[in-house]
């Protein structure tokens, strides 16, 4: 075959193939739906950037969530990634070797008993006990890995943002808390302050968590009150000397949240630090659990109050629990101002430290 004719044929074939590719590519690349990731499970815990499929769409969690099905409504925790196709199968159940009974509070267990706890993990009784909580009573229970073809996987440490208090321990500390003060809201707030309860030794971390929660317990009546009870005081927290004034109203800056954030200048400072307009919208502290907890952790981490250091610095630098009281309400309670209130805080701190299995340390009073 002449060389010129061969080149002509090859060129024609190349043009045909290019046209075919151009016709096919749009259907196989950008226009194709993404495969569905693992299906959403109402019992699973999802943290920031974890994905799930639901109702033919893929979703990405923005922060910690459990039991909230993916949608564009609700708390806004889910980001819609668009339609998906195929895949989306749920995780298989544990192998038969992991089919141990669910733990039941108050039921007697002999040493060697294996149970499945509410977090999906398994525990083995190291000592006989009358149904103690496996997460709280760690002397009676130890984590157990299933055998016989199936294993359990501990949840990622990121689920709690490094906070050294489990949900079971939190519930034990606050048996009467109202529904607004959720554990999930606390964990969401904790994640925004990387140094909080993550500085120093494990002992110091637990002591700081116990100290923070003890002061929260005192300020909120055991996580029962969201707003300051005495409404007669509400108009007193507007400092008109501030250039921004009180745009939400004279009585808008009363105590709210787990540490009772008060005064227009504190709402302004907290909102600026958190990226939330609390000066104009102070009710967000009483309407959104994460925001309420964020204001408490913000104060703990950044404000000295009438003290000489932040409560965080007091705990991680060895100044002790008494110094945290001084930073929060020392002008009214410390130096003999109100010893009964000081003792109330100390009692809660000692109790919470005991739940966490840590010594409370010294310098408890102010």
């Amino acid at each position: 075959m002449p060389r010129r004719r061969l080149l002509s044929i090859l060129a024609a074939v190349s043009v045909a193939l290019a046209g075919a590719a151009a016709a096919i590519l749009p259907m196989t690349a950008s226009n194709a739906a993404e495969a569905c990731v693992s299906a959403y499970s109402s019992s699973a815990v999802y943290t920031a950037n974890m994905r799930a499929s639901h109702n033919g769409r893929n979703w990405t969690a923005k922060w910690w969530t459990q039991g909230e099905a993916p949608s564009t409504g609700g708390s806004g925790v889910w980001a819609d990634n668009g339609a998906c196709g195929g895949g989306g199968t749920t995780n298989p159940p544990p192998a038969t070797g992991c089919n141990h009974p669910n733990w039941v509070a108050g039921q007697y267990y002999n040493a060697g008993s294996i149970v499945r706890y509410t977090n999906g993990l398994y525990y083995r009784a190291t000592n006989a006990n009358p149904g103690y909580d496996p997460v709280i009573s760690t002397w009676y229970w130890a984590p157990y890995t299933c055998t016989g073809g199936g294993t359990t996987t501990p949840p990622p440490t990121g689920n709690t943002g490094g906070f050294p208090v489990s949900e079971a321990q939190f519930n034990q500390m606050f048996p009467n808390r109202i529904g607004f003060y959720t554990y999930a809201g606390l964990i969401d707030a904790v994640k925004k302050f990387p140094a909080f309860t993550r500085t120093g030794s494990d002992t110091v971390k637990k002591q700081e968590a116990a100290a923070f929660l003890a002061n929260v317990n005192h300020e909120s009546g055991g996580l029962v009150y969201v707003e300051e009870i005495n409404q007669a005081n509400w108009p007193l927290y507007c400092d008109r000397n501030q250039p921004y004034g009180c745009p939400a109203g004279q009585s808008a800056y009363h105590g709210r949240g787990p540490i009772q954030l008060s005064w227009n200048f504190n709402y302004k400072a907290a909102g600026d630090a958190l990226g939330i307009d609390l000066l104009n919208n102070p009710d967000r502290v009483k309407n959104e659990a994460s925001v309420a907890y964020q204001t408490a952790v913000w104060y703990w981490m950044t404000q000295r109050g009438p003290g000489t250091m932040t409560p965080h610095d007091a705990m991680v630098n060895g100044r002790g629990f008494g110094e945290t009281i001084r930073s929060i309400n020392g002008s009214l309670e410390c130096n003999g101002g109100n010893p009964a209130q000081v003792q109330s805080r100390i009692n809660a701190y000692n109790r919470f430290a005991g739940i966490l299995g840590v010594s409370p340390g010294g310098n408890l009073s102010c």
Side-chain angles (χ1 to χ4, degrees), residues 92-330:
T96 56
C98 291
N99 287 342
H100 297 289
N102 292 330
W103 168 78
V104 178
Q107 177 176 310
Y108 184 85
Y109 291 100
N110 289 313
S113 299
I114 300 171
V115 296
R116 184 178 187 272
Y117 189 57
T118 56
N119 59 7
L121 304 183
Y122 291 83
Y123 295 83
R124 181 179 181 274
T126 52
N127 294 279
N129 67 87
Y132 292 139
D133 192 303
V135 175
I136 296 174
S137 302
T138 53
W139 188 82
Y140 289 98
W141 296 93
Y144 177 78
T145 300
C146 292
T147 58
T151 58
T152 56
T153 303
T157 55
N159 285 356
T160 62
F163 192 55
V165 180
S166 70
E167 185 167 8
Q169 291 168 327
F170 176 76
N171 290 335
Q172 186 180 9
M173 292 173 177
F174 301 100
N176 300 316
R177 68 176 174 86
I178 61 173
F180 173 77
Y181 285 119
T182 63
Y183 180 75
L186 172 60
I187 296 306
D188 185 58
V190 165
K191 292 176 182 178
K192 295 174 172 58
F193 297 86
F196 177 63
T197 68
R198 278 167 282 180
T199 304
S201 67
D202 288 343
T203 294
V204 170
K205 293 172 185 176
K206 291 180 179 180
Q207 287 175 338
E208 182 180 9
F212 170 77
L213 292 174
N215 281 296
V216 161
N217 175 78
H218 185 85
E219 295 290 326
S220 65
L223 291 182
V224 170
Y225 300 108
V226 180
E227 291 187 286
E228 185 174 349
I229 299 173
N230 188 357
Q231 296 189 19
N233 288 339
W234 287 14
L236 306 179
Y237 299 110
C238 173
D239 181 0
R240 292 289 181 182
N241 292 323
Q242 301 299 328
Y244 40 79
C246 301
Q250 178 73 27
S251 301
Y253 303 101
H254 54 274
R256 293 182 183 84
I259 212 163
Q260 293 292 284
L261 186 72
S262 306
W263 290 97
N264 56 330
F265 49 81
N266 278 329
Y267 277 89
K268 175 72 163 60
D272 289 349
L274 300 171
I276 305 170
D277 183 7
L278 296 181
L279 182 67
N280 289 288
N281 302 286
D283 274 347
R284 291 191 64 178
V285 181
K286 77 168 186 177
N287 293 330
E288 300 174 45
S290 176
V291 172
Y293 282 121
Q294 285 179 53
T295 62
V297 183
W298 164 81
Y299 190 95
W300 183 268
M301 297 296 295
T302 66
Q303 302 301 297
R304 297 180 179 182
T308 60
M309 63 184 66
T310 68
H312 169 74
D313 287 340
M315 293 307 297
V316 302
N317 294 333
R319 289 293 293 272
F321 180 71
E323 194 66 25
T324 71
I325 303 174
R326 189 178 300 279
S327 298
I328 293 173
N329 206 26

Side-chain angles (χ1 to χ4, degrees), residues 321-346:
F321 180 71
E323 194 66 25
T324 71
I325 303 174
R326 189 178 300 279
S327 298
I328 293 173
N329 206 26
S331 60
L332 297 179
E333 297 180 16
C334 293
N335 302 321
N338 197 328
Q341 296 296 306
V342 171
Q343 191 59 49
S344 172
R345 295 180 194 262
I346 294 172

